[in-house]
Amino acid sequence: MTPPRSTIAVPWLWLVLVSAAALLYVLGLGSFYAPTNGDEMVYIHIARMTAESGHWLPLQSEIVDTRNTKPPLLFWQAIAAGNWGHNWSLVALRLPSIAYTFVTTGLLAFFAHRISGQWRTACVAAVLYLLFFSTFRYGRVYLTSAPETFWLALPMLWMLWQPLRNTPPGVQQAPAAPQLGFVAYTLFGMAMGLGAAYKSFALVAPAAAALWCAILVNSMPLRWPVVIRTTLGVTWSTLMGLGIFALWFVLDPDPASVWQEFVVAENAGKMSGGQGYWHAALFGAYPMWTQLLAYPENGGLLFFAVLGFLLLGLPRAFKSQTYVQMTPAMRILLVWLVVWLVIFTIPSQRSARYVIPAMPALAIVMALLWDRIPRVWFWVTAAITVPALVMLARIAWVMGDMEIASRSSNAITLIAVCAGLTGAAVTFFYKSWARTGALVTCLSVYATFGLMVAPLEDARLQYSPQVQSAMRGARIAVPNGFTGQFERFRFVFPDSRLVPYDAEGRNTGALHPELPPGERLQYLLREFDAVVWLQENGADTAPTCVPACRVIGQRWHVKSRHKGGEITLDNLWQPQQWLFRREWLVVGAQKP
């Protein structure tokens, strides 16, 4: 029997959309303005310091209390990718994250196709996963969730494969108790251990719980021998995972510091609270109800699409079915989502980031039920992205006026904006294309942002090679707004001795932030060979120390933190007043 044409036809337009989404991850890979976590530079600093020590362990850091805040596999990955400091660039450090993300995307697309029998569903799953903001933000930069997502997904994907193997795409076998042996549970434990070795031993708990539930839900009706055998097997996997993580204590010359800094301070601290557990859980800074929005929050621009799927799309798809009547694959996917969500409502500190390893399951389920999600949620998605596109277009236009961006660069950025606005129009005026149009709009926002900030990395706007050469071996005071942000200057002045100073006046011990700006700059110039100084007032054309000092280089700085009143409705349309500042490299007038 020949499958329906819709089943075997290759959806070329969807493949183009998948390719465009994948290209977004390469666009601006080495940019300092790529969406990332503020801690990325902290962990790049630890990786660099450890590489310079010439040893894998112990981890090294110049930042107080940040030496053992992540397991070593994260840093070893950077050391290997950066060739022990010989190829130390943001591109090299971030490439492994993209590799993990693309492999995970390929796997979830494969399973979406095998479950549904349709290439379109596979493409939808891939595009959704790549457009989830949690993937875009944490799936391509150095400090990332990509590695643990991949490793912790493997046991669940193996379980997903059981009802699908030996059958053609779109066909599933009847539920049967999986015959798992010692080797399978050992491999599950190794995958859990590698995932935990990137982030935390705590991830073994939801991974093991999800695996245990996935095995049992497809072993109906339950019998005690199956429950006992499954429990013993998953227990062995858990012990194996924890054992791999525990190698850190065996290999590290200073295991006491690992225990105190990582286990006690970094992990156990998230399970305690001075207000009492239930008071904090209901009324504290991280109330339990906020975790219910973890999946929509990870969706980012797709927040309302995910929310609509969870509130209406999923119930609508299964209102005529009981849980037992669901397909084996769907039961595994739902268990994967529910268990991770439930487990991470328990810690006293809750974050949507904790459920990122379950986002592949969300992408597959949403793709399988894509046409069941009401269109209104995609209309809302398009409606909120239009103002974002307009504002990004305005910023790009202003960058052209300020001669930051060239005409050709601006033209490409505005083409991306037009593509997004077209997608929004399609979403509203063509019902059959509403869902696709919303995805195009979201993709255009990401593309517009990447194209907009690209000119800031242009060589003509950076410190010249002559200036960088002149600073070789010099002691340079560099600004440090957020913990570890001074590390970004290592990529600019790799052969200089950098000393961070507090640029926001929060730490009274960081090179006298209590001094007025003019006096502080004079102090720093006396103490150091050069100072990287940020423009305080947009009207200033030079540092206040001129002519007693010399500006030997400058580039643009984009403000990421603003004080109250800096951005108002009156100046919102004038980003040159609140977004851009100059960064000056200053030396004393008498210094060569």
mmCIF file of all heavy atoms in Angstrom, residues 56-100:
data_model
loop_
_atom_site.group_PDB
_atom_site.id
_atom_site.type_symbol
_atom_site.label_atom_id
_atom_site.label_comp_id
_atom_site.label_asym_id
_atom_site.label_seq_id
_atom_site.Cartn_x
_atom_site.Cartn_y
_atom_site.Cartn_z
ATOM 1 N N TRP A 56 44.892 19.574 34.396
ATOM 2 C CA TRP A 56 43.438 19.457 34.305
ATOM 3 C C TRP A 56 42.777 19.844 35.624
ATOM 4 O O TRP A 56 41.691 20.415 35.640
ATOM 5 C CB TRP A 56 43.045 18.023 33.943
ATOM 6 C CG TRP A 56 43.495 17.566 32.590
ATOM 7 C CD1 TRP A 56 44.537 16.723 32.311
ATOM 8 C CD2 TRP A 56 42.931 17.915 31.314
ATOM 9 N NE1 TRP A 56 44.663 16.527 30.958
ATOM 10 C CE2 TRP A 56 43.680 17.231 30.319
ATOM 11 C CE3 TRP A 56 41.864 18.714 30.924
ATOM 12 C CZ2 TRP A 56 43.385 17.345 28.955
ATOM 13 C CZ3 TRP A 56 41.570 18.819 29.567
ATOM 14 C CH2 TRP A 56 42.320 18.152 28.597
ATOM 15 N N LEU A 57 43.391 19.494 36.723
ATOM 16 C CA LEU A 57 42.883 19.781 38.060
ATOM 17 C C LEU A 57 44.060 20.157 38.956
ATOM 18 O O LEU A 57 45.198 19.703 38.717
ATOM 19 C CB LEU A 57 42.152 18.559 38.646
ATOM 20 C CG LEU A 57 40.784 18.221 38.039
ATOM 21 C CD1 LEU A 57 40.297 16.875 38.576
ATOM 22 C CD2 LEU A 57 39.760 19.310 38.318
ATOM 23 N N PRO A 58 43.824 20.952 40.014
ATOM 24 C CA PRO A 58 42.546 21.556 40.392
ATOM 25 C C PRO A 58 42.195 22.732 39.484
ATOM 26 O O PRO A 58 43.059 23.311 38.830
ATOM 27 C CB PRO A 58 42.807 22.032 41.820
ATOM 28 C CG PRO A 58 44.270 22.347 41.834
ATOM 29 C CD PRO A 58 44.908 21.306 40.951
ATOM 30 N N LEU A 59 40.906 23.089 39.477
ATOM 31 C CA LEU A 59 40.460 24.254 38.727
ATOM 32 C C LEU A 59 41.058 25.512 39.346
ATOM 33 O O LEU A 59 41.307 25.568 40.555
ATOM 34 C CB LEU A 59 38.934 24.333 38.739
ATOM 35 C CG LEU A 59 38.201 23.114 38.154
ATOM 36 C CD1 LEU A 59 36.697 23.276 38.316
ATOM 37 C CD2 LEU A 59 38.567 22.883 36.708
ATOM 38 N N GLN A 60 41.306 26.512 38.503
ATOM 39 C CA GLN A 60 41.965 27.734 38.950
ATOM 40 C C GLN A 60 41.068 28.945 38.692
ATOM 41 O O GLN A 60 40.291 28.964 37.747
ATOM 42 C CB GLN A 60 43.288 27.934 38.214
ATOM 43 C CG GLN A 60 44.260 26.782 38.348
ATOM 44 C CD GLN A 60 44.808 26.646 39.749
ATOM 45 O OE1 GLN A 60 44.943 27.629 40.479
ATOM 46 N NE2 GLN A 60 45.139 25.422 40.149
ATOM 47 N N SER A 61 41.178 29.955 39.543
ATOM 48 C CA SER A 61 40.410 31.186 39.361
ATOM 49 C C SER A 61 41.007 32.293 40.211
ATOM 50 O O SER A 61 41.518 32.041 41.300
ATOM 51 C CB SER A 61 38.942 30.983 39.744
ATOM 52 O OG SER A 61 38.218 32.190 39.663
ATOM 53 N N GLU A 62 40.934 33.521 39.681
ATOM 54 C CA GLU A 62 41.337 34.697 40.452
ATOM 55 C C GLU A 62 40.130 35.361 41.116
ATOM 56 O O GLU A 62 40.300 36.306 41.878
ATOM 57 C CB GLU A 62 42.025 35.706 39.532
ATOM 58 C CG GLU A 62 43.369 35.228 38.981
ATOM 59 C CD GLU A 62 43.980 36.229 38.024
ATOM 60 O OE1 GLU A 62 43.228 37.107 37.532
ATOM 61 O OE2 GLU A 62 45.187 36.150 37.757
ATOM 62 N N ILE A 63 38.933 34.885 40.808
ATOM 63 C CA ILE A 63 37.705 35.464 41.356
ATOM 64 C C ILE A 63 37.342 34.717 42.629
ATOM 65 O O ILE A 63 37.280 33.482 42.648
ATOM 66 C CB ILE A 63 36.548 35.373 40.341
ATOM 67 C CG1 ILE A 63 36.960 35.989 39.007
ATOM 68 C CG2 ILE A 63 35.307 36.075 40.874
ATOM 69 C CD1 ILE A 63 35.941 35.797 37.905
ATOM 70 N N VAL A 64 37.100 35.453 43.675
ATOM 71 C CA VAL A 64 36.832 34.854 44.981
ATOM 72 C C VAL A 64 35.565 33.994 44.935
ATOM 73 O O VAL A 64 34.539 34.397 44.381
ATOM 74 C CB VAL A 64 36.676 35.963 46.048
ATOM 75 C CG1 VAL A 64 36.351 35.347 47.412
ATOM 76 C CG2 VAL A 64 37.948 36.798 46.118
ATOM 77 N N ASP A 65 35.645 32.787 45.502
ATOM 78 C CA ASP A 65 34.500 31.877 45.665
ATOM 79 C C ASP A 65 33.892 31.414 44.347
ATOM 80 O O ASP A 65 32.697 31.094 44.282
ATOM 81 C CB ASP A 65 33.409 32.519 46.530
ATOM 82 C CG ASP A 65 33.884 32.828 47.942
ATOM 83 O OD1 ASP A 65 34.735 32.072 48.449
ATOM 84 O OD2 ASP A 65 33.409 33.821 48.535
ATOM 85 N N THR A 66 34.662 31.358 43.279
ATOM 86 C CA THR A 66 34.106 30.873 42.010
ATOM 87 C C THR A 66 34.989 29.813 41.367
ATOM 88 O O THR A 66 34.923 29.601 40.163
ATOM 89 C CB THR A 66 33.927 32.037 41.004
ATOM 90 O OG1 THR A 66 35.200 32.621 40.739
ATOM 91 C CG2 THR A 66 32.975 33.073 41.513
ATOM 92 N N ARG A 67 35.764 29.124 42.145
ATOM 93 C CA ARG A 67 36.703 28.165 41.548
ATOM 94 C C ARG A 67 36.031 26.838 41.238
ATOM 95 O O ARG A 67 36.226 26.272 40.162
ATOM 96 C CB ARG A 67 37.893 27.947 42.493
ATOM 97 C CG ARG A 67 38.995 27.093 41.904
ATOM 98 C CD ARG A 67 40.268 27.221 42.710
ATOM 99 N NE ARG A 67 40.107 26.699 44.052
ATOM 100 C CZ ARG A 67 40.412 25.452 44.417
ATOM 101 N NH1 ARG A 67 40.889 24.603 43.519
ATOM 102 N NH2 ARG A 67 40.256 25.053 45.653
ATOM 103 N N ASN A 68 35.228 26.322 42.140
ATOM 104 C CA ASN A 68 34.608 25.002 41.983
ATOM 105 C C ASN A 68 33.086 25.109 41.934
ATOM 106 O O ASN A 68 32.376 24.348 42.583
ATOM 107 C CB ASN A 68 35.027 24.079 43.137
ATOM 108 C CG ASN A 68 36.488 23.702 43.069
ATOM 109 O OD1 ASN A 68 36.968 23.256 42.036
ATOM 110 N ND2 ASN A 68 37.214 23.885 44.168
ATOM 111 N N THR A 69 32.573 26.038 41.149
ATOM 112 C CA THR A 69 31.127 26.212 41.076
ATOM 113 C C THR A 69 30.482 25.391 39.963
ATOM 114 O O THR A 69 29.267 25.377 39.839
ATOM 115 C CB THR A 69 30.765 27.694 40.875
ATOM 116 O OG1 THR A 69 31.460 28.178 39.724
ATOM 117 C CG2 THR A 69 31.166 28.514 42.092
ATOM 118 N N LYS A 70 31.289 24.754 39.119
ATOM 119 C CA LYS A 70 30.791 23.840 38.089
ATOM 120 C C LYS A 70 31.751 22.658 38.006
ATOM 121 O O LYS A 70 32.949 22.789 38.288
ATOM 122 C CB LYS A 70 30.709 24.538 36.725
ATOM 123 C CG LYS A 70 29.535 25.498 36.584
ATOM 124 C CD LYS A 70 28.202 24.764 36.542
ATOM 125 C CE LYS A 70 27.043 25.736 36.349
ATOM 126 N NZ LYS A 70 26.818 26.597 37.516
ATOM 127 N N PRO A 71 31.249 21.477 37.598
ATOM 128 C CA PRO A 71 32.133 20.307 37.476
ATOM 129 C C PRO A 71 33.184 20.510 36.389
ATOM 130 O O PRO A 71 33.031 21.351 35.495
ATOM 131 C CB PRO A 71 31.160 19.180 37.100
ATOM 132 C CG PRO A 71 29.809 19.664 37.501
ATOM 133 C CD PRO A 71 29.847 21.145 37.337
ATOM 134 N N PRO A 72 34.252 19.723 36.427
ATOM 135 C CA PRO A 72 35.402 19.982 35.538
ATOM 136 C C PRO A 72 35.155 19.706 34.067
ATOM 137 O O PRO A 72 35.850 20.256 33.219
ATOM 138 C CB PRO A 72 36.487 19.061 36.097
ATOM 139 C CG PRO A 72 35.760 17.998 36.851
ATOM 140 C CD PRO A 72 34.552 18.658 37.407
ATOM 141 N N LEU A 73 34.177 18.860 33.704
ATOM 142 C CA LEU A 73 34.003 18.509 32.299
ATOM 143 C C LEU A 73 33.689 19.737 31.448
ATOM 144 O O LEU A 73 34.103 19.825 30.282
ATOM 145 C CB LEU A 73 32.895 17.464 32.149
ATOM 146 C CG LEU A 73 32.908 16.644 30.853
ATOM 147 C CD1 LEU A 73 34.253 15.965 30.656
ATOM 148 C CD2 LEU A 73 31.797 15.605 30.876
ATOM 149 N N LEU A 74 32.982 20.698 32.030
ATOM 150 C CA LEU A 74 32.675 21.940 31.316
ATOM 151 C C LEU A 74 33.962 22.677 30.958
ATOM 152 O O LEU A 74 34.120 23.188 29.840
ATOM 153 C CB LEU A 74 31.782 22.831 32.178
ATOM 154 C CG LEU A 74 31.435 24.205 31.618
ATOM 155 C CD1 LEU A 74 30.480 24.070 30.445
ATOM 156 C CD2 LEU A 74 30.818 25.093 32.697
ATOM 157 N N PHE A 75 34.896 22.704 31.886
ATOM 158 C CA PHE A 75 36.149 23.428 31.668
ATOM 159 C C PHE A 75 37.114 22.618 30.803
ATOM 160 O O PHE A 75 37.855 23.184 30.002
ATOM 161 C CB PHE A 75 36.779 23.784 33.011
ATOM 162 C CG PHE A 75 35.834 24.511 33.917
ATOM 163 C CD1 PHE A 75 35.281 23.897 35.030
ATOM 164 C CD2 PHE A 75 35.459 25.814 33.630
ATOM 165 C CE1 PHE A 75 34.398 24.569 35.858
ATOM 166 C CE2 PHE A 75 34.570 26.495 34.450
ATOM 167 C CZ PHE A 75 34.037 25.872 35.562
ATOM 168 N N TRP A 76 37.094 21.314 30.961
ATOM 169 C CA TRP A 76 37.948 20.479 30.115
ATOM 170 C C TRP A 76 37.538 20.602 28.648
ATOM 171 O O TRP A 76 38.379 20.565 27.763
ATOM 172 C CB TRP A 76 37.865 19.027 30.576
ATOM 173 C CG TRP A 76 38.465 18.800 31.934
ATOM 174 C CD1 TRP A 76 39.192 19.698 32.664
ATOM 175 C CD2 TRP A 76 38.388 17.611 32.717
ATOM 176 N NE1 TRP A 76 39.579 19.131 33.857
ATOM 177 C CE2 TRP A 76 39.100 17.850 33.929
ATOM 178 C CE3 TRP A 76 37.799 16.367 32.536
ATOM 179 C CZ2 TRP A 76 39.211 16.886 34.916
ATOM 180 C CZ3 TRP A 76 37.909 15.405 33.523
ATOM 181 C CH2 TRP A 76 38.622 15.669 34.704
ATOM 182 N N GLN A 77 36.239 20.737 28.408
ATOM 183 C CA GLN A 77 35.763 20.937 27.043
ATOM 184 C C GLN A 77 36.369 22.211 26.449
ATOM 185 O O GLN A 77 36.831 22.225 25.304
ATOM 186 C CB GLN A 77 34.239 21.035 27.023
ATOM 187 C CG GLN A 77 33.653 21.415 25.675
ATOM 188 C CD GLN A 77 32.150 21.568 25.732
ATOM 189 O OE1 GLN A 77 31.419 20.608 25.953
ATOM 190 N NE2 GLN A 77 31.668 22.797 25.534
ATOM 191 N N ALA A 78 36.385 23.280 27.244
ATOM 192 C CA ALA A 78 36.953 24.546 26.772
ATOM 193 C C ALA A 78 38.459 24.434 26.582
ATOM 194 O O ALA A 78 39.015 24.966 25.600
ATOM 195 C CB ALA A 78 36.629 25.655 27.769
ATOM 196 N N ILE A 79 39.127 23.751 27.494
ATOM 197 C CA ILE A 79 40.580 23.597 27.385
ATOM 198 C C ILE A 79 40.937 22.841 26.106
ATOM 199 O O ILE A 79 41.858 23.207 25.376
ATOM 200 C CB ILE A 79 41.133 22.875 28.627
ATOM 201 C CG1 ILE A 79 41.006 23.782 29.865
ATOM 202 C CG2 ILE A 79 42.582 22.464 28.418
ATOM 203 C CD1 ILE A 79 41.329 23.089 31.171
ATOM 204 N N ALA A 80 40.178 21.782 25.812
ATOM 205 C CA ALA A 80 40.431 21.003 24.604
ATOM 206 C C ALA A 80 40.107 21.812 23.354
ATOM 207 O O ALA A 80 40.877 21.820 22.381
ATOM 208 C CB ALA A 80 39.619 19.710 24.630
ATOM 209 N N ALA A 81 38.957 22.509 23.363
ATOM 210 C CA ALA A 81 38.556 23.288 22.189
ATOM 211 C C ALA A 81 39.514 24.445 21.940
ATOM 212 O O ALA A 81 39.781 24.800 20.790
ATOM 213 C CB ALA A 81 37.133 23.818 22.381
ATOM 214 N N GLY A 82 40.035 25.032 23.025
ATOM 215 C CA GLY A 82 40.972 26.152 22.901
ATOM 216 C C GLY A 82 42.420 25.734 22.820
ATOM 217 O O GLY A 82 43.313 26.591 22.847
ATOM 218 N N ASN A 83 42.675 24.402 22.746
ATOM 219 C CA ASN A 83 44.039 23.871 22.613
ATOM 220 C C ASN A 83 44.962 24.444 23.679
ATOM 221 O O ASN A 83 46.044 24.959 23.381
ATOM 222 C CB ASN A 83 44.577 24.149 21.204
ATOM 223 C CG ASN A 83 45.873 23.406 20.913
ATOM 224 O OD1 ASN A 83 46.172 22.397 21.562
ATOM 225 N ND2 ASN A 83 46.645 23.907 19.964
ATOM 226 N N TRP A 84 44.506 24.352 24.943
ATOM 227 C CA TRP A 84 45.307 24.792 26.080
ATOM 228 C C TRP A 84 45.746 26.253 25.948
ATOM 229 O O TRP A 84 46.856 26.623 26.328
ATOM 230 C CB TRP A 84 46.525 23.892 26.291
ATOM 231 C CG TRP A 84 46.155 22.527 26.770
ATOM 232 C CD1 TRP A 84 45.832 21.453 26.008
ATOM 233 C CD2 TRP A 84 46.028 22.101 28.133
ATOM 234 N NE1 TRP A 84 45.519 20.384 26.813
ATOM 235 C CE2 TRP A 84 45.638 20.750 28.119
ATOM 236 C CE3 TRP A 84 46.213 22.737 29.369
ATOM 237 C CZ2 TRP A 84 45.420 20.011 29.275
ATOM 238 C CZ3 TRP A 84 46.015 22.002 30.518
ATOM 239 C CH2 TRP A 84 45.617 20.670 30.475
ATOM 240 N N GLY A 85 44.853 27.061 25.371
ATOM 241 C CA GLY A 85 45.120 28.490 25.270
ATOM 242 C C GLY A 85 45.745 28.929 23.964
ATOM 243 O O GLY A 85 45.847 30.133 23.707
ATOM 244 N N HIS A 86 46.129 27.984 23.101
ATOM 245 C CA HIS A 86 46.772 28.340 21.836
ATOM 246 C C HIS A 86 45.759 28.754 20.774
ATOM 247 O O HIS A 86 46.132 29.343 19.762
ATOM 248 C CB HIS A 86 47.623 27.174 21.324
ATOM 249 C CG HIS A 86 48.737 26.791 22.254
ATOM 250 N ND1 HIS A 86 49.777 27.648 22.564
ATOM 251 C CD2 HIS A 86 48.968 25.647 22.968
ATOM 252 C CE1 HIS A 86 50.611 27.052 23.404
ATOM 253 N NE2 HIS A 86 50.142 25.847 23.672
ATOM 254 N N ASN A 87 44.497 28.406 20.968
ATOM 255 C CA ASN A 87 43.437 28.793 20.032
ATOM 256 C C ASN A 87 42.276 29.373 20.826
ATOM 257 O O ASN A 87 41.132 28.958 20.694
ATOM 258 C CB ASN A 87 42.992 27.584 19.204
ATOM 259 C CG ASN A 87 41.970 27.947 18.139
ATOM 260 O OD1 ASN A 87 41.968 29.070 17.627
ATOM 261 N ND2 ASN A 87 41.082 27.021 17.822
ATOM 262 N N TRP A 88 42.600 30.349 21.653
ATOM 263 C CA TRP A 88 41.633 30.860 22.633
ATOM 264 C C TRP A 88 40.777 31.955 21.994
ATOM 265 O O TRP A 88 41.118 33.129 22.001
ATOM 266 C CB TRP A 88 42.359 31.399 23.856
ATOM 267 C CG TRP A 88 41.522 31.340 25.100
ATOM 268 C CD1 TRP A 88 40.933 32.384 25.755
ATOM 269 C CD2 TRP A 88 41.182 30.172 25.838
ATOM 270 N NE1 TRP A 88 40.245 31.940 26.853
ATOM 271 C CE2 TRP A 88 40.386 30.569 26.936
ATOM 272 C CE3 TRP A 88 41.459 28.816 25.690
ATOM 273 C CZ2 TRP A 88 39.876 29.671 27.867
ATOM 274 C CZ3 TRP A 88 40.954 27.919 26.607
ATOM 275 C CH2 TRP A 88 40.183 28.345 27.679
ATOM 276 N N SER A 89 39.647 31.557 21.449
ATOM 277 C CA SER A 89 38.721 32.500 20.827
ATOM 278 C C SER A 89 37.306 32.095 21.183
ATOM 279 O O SER A 89 37.038 30.924 21.523
ATOM 280 C CB SER A 89 38.894 32.508 19.305
ATOM 281 O OG SER A 89 38.474 31.272 18.746
ATOM 282 N N LEU A 90 36.384 33.053 21.120
ATOM 283 C CA LEU A 90 34.991 32.749 21.439
ATOM 284 C C LEU A 90 34.420 31.721 20.472
ATOM 285 O O LEU A 90 33.609 30.874 20.859
ATOM 286 C CB LEU A 90 34.160 34.032 21.412
ATOM 287 C CG LEU A 90 34.331 34.972 22.602
ATOM 288 C CD1 LEU A 90 33.495 36.228 22.409
ATOM 289 C CD2 LEU A 90 33.938 34.285 23.912
ATOM 290 N N VAL A 91 34.833 31.783 19.217
ATOM 291 C CA VAL A 91 34.334 30.812 18.240
ATOM 292 C C VAL A 91 34.745 29.401 18.636
ATOM 293 O O VAL A 91 33.922 28.474 18.655
ATOM 294 C CB VAL A 91 34.847 31.151 16.829
ATOM 295 C CG1 VAL A 91 34.481 30.038 15.850
ATOM 296 C CG2 VAL A 91 34.258 32.468 16.347
ATOM 297 N N ALA A 92 36.023 29.213 18.963
ATOM 298 C CA ALA A 92 36.510 27.885 19.344
ATOM 299 C C ALA A 92 35.818 27.382 20.603
ATOM 300 O O ALA A 92 35.445 26.209 20.693
ATOM 301 C CB ALA A 92 38.029 27.924 19.544
ATOM 302 N N LEU A 93 35.626 28.269 21.583
ATOM 303 C CA LEU A 93 35.031 27.855 22.848
ATOM 304 C C LEU A 93 33.552 27.514 22.693
ATOM 305 O O LEU A 93 33.017 26.680 23.427
ATOM 306 C CB LEU A 93 35.201 28.966 23.888
ATOM 307 C CG LEU A 93 36.635 29.291 24.292
ATOM 308 C CD1 LEU A 93 36.659 30.465 25.254
ATOM 309 C CD2 LEU A 93 37.315 28.082 24.917
ATOM 310 N N ARG A 94 32.880 28.157 21.739
ATOM 311 C CA ARG A 94 31.440 27.964 21.582
ATOM 312 C C ARG A 94 31.066 26.860 20.599
ATOM 313 O O ARG A 94 29.927 26.379 20.621
ATOM 314 C CB ARG A 94 30.791 29.278 21.149
ATOM 315 C CG ARG A 94 30.782 30.341 22.247
ATOM 316 C CD ARG A 94 30.368 31.700 21.713
ATOM 317 N NE ARG A 94 30.188 32.678 22.782
ATOM 318 C CZ ARG A 94 29.942 33.968 22.588
ATOM 319 N NH1 ARG A 94 29.867 34.437 21.340
ATOM 320 N NH2 ARG A 94 29.782 34.790 23.615
ATOM 321 N N LEU A 95 31.993 26.453 19.743
ATOM 322 C CA LEU A 95 31.678 25.442 18.735
ATOM 323 C C LEU A 95 31.173 24.123 19.325
ATOM 324 O O LEU A 95 30.224 23.536 18.786
ATOM 325 C CB LEU A 95 32.902 25.185 17.850
ATOM 326 C CG LEU A 95 33.041 26.085 16.619
ATOM 327 C CD1 LEU A 95 34.333 25.761 15.881
ATOM 328 C CD2 LEU A 95 31.849 25.937 15.689
ATOM 329 N N PRO A 96 31.768 23.598 20.407
ATOM 330 C CA PRO A 96 31.233 22.346 20.960
ATOM 331 C C PRO A 96 29.772 22.460 21.384
ATOM 332 O O PRO A 96 29.016 21.490 21.255
ATOM 333 C CB PRO A 96 32.144 22.088 22.176
ATOM 334 C CG PRO A 96 33.414 22.781 21.843
ATOM 335 C CD PRO A 96 33.004 24.022 21.109
ATOM 336 N N SER A 97 29.358 23.626 21.872
ATOM 337 C CA SER A 97 27.969 23.804 22.272
ATOM 338 C C SER A 97 27.040 23.668 21.074
ATOM 339 O O SER A 97 25.978 23.035 21.149
ATOM 340 C CB SER A 97 27.778 25.179 22.924
ATOM 341 O OG SER A 97 28.600 25.314 24.063
ATOM 342 N N ILE A 98 27.427 24.288 19.955
ATOM 343 C CA ILE A 98 26.612 24.188 18.743
ATOM 344 C C ILE A 98 26.561 22.745 18.256
ATOM 345 O O ILE A 98 25.510 22.266 17.807
ATOM 346 C CB ILE A 98 27.165 25.115 17.649
ATOM 347 C CG1 ILE A 98 26.814 26.556 17.973
ATOM 348 C CG2 ILE A 98 26.636 24.747 16.286
ATOM 349 C CD1 ILE A 98 27.125 27.527 16.875
ATOM 350 N N ALA A 99 27.682 22.035 18.344
ATOM 351 C CA ALA A 99 27.701 20.631 17.911
ATOM 352 C C ALA A 99 26.709 19.816 18.726
ATOM 353 O O ALA A 99 25.924 19.032 18.170
ATOM 354 C CB ALA A 99 29.116 20.064 18.044
ATOM 355 N N TYR A 100 26.723 19.985 20.043
ATOM 356 C CA TYR A 100 25.763 19.280 20.899
ATOM 357 C C TYR A 100 24.326 19.654 20.526
ATOM 358 O O TYR A 100 23.440 18.787 20.444
ATOM 359 C CB TYR A 100 26.013 19.634 22.365
ATOM 360 C CG TYR A 100 27.017 18.759 23.065
ATOM 361 C CD1 TYR A 100 28.209 19.287 23.559
ATOM 362 C CD2 TYR A 100 26.778 17.408 23.265
ATOM 363 C CE1 TYR A 100 29.134 18.484 24.225
ATOM 364 C CE2 TYR A 100 27.690 16.594 23.927
ATOM 365 C CZ TYR A 100 28.866 17.141 24.409
ATOM 366 O OH TYR A 100 29.774 16.340 25.066
#
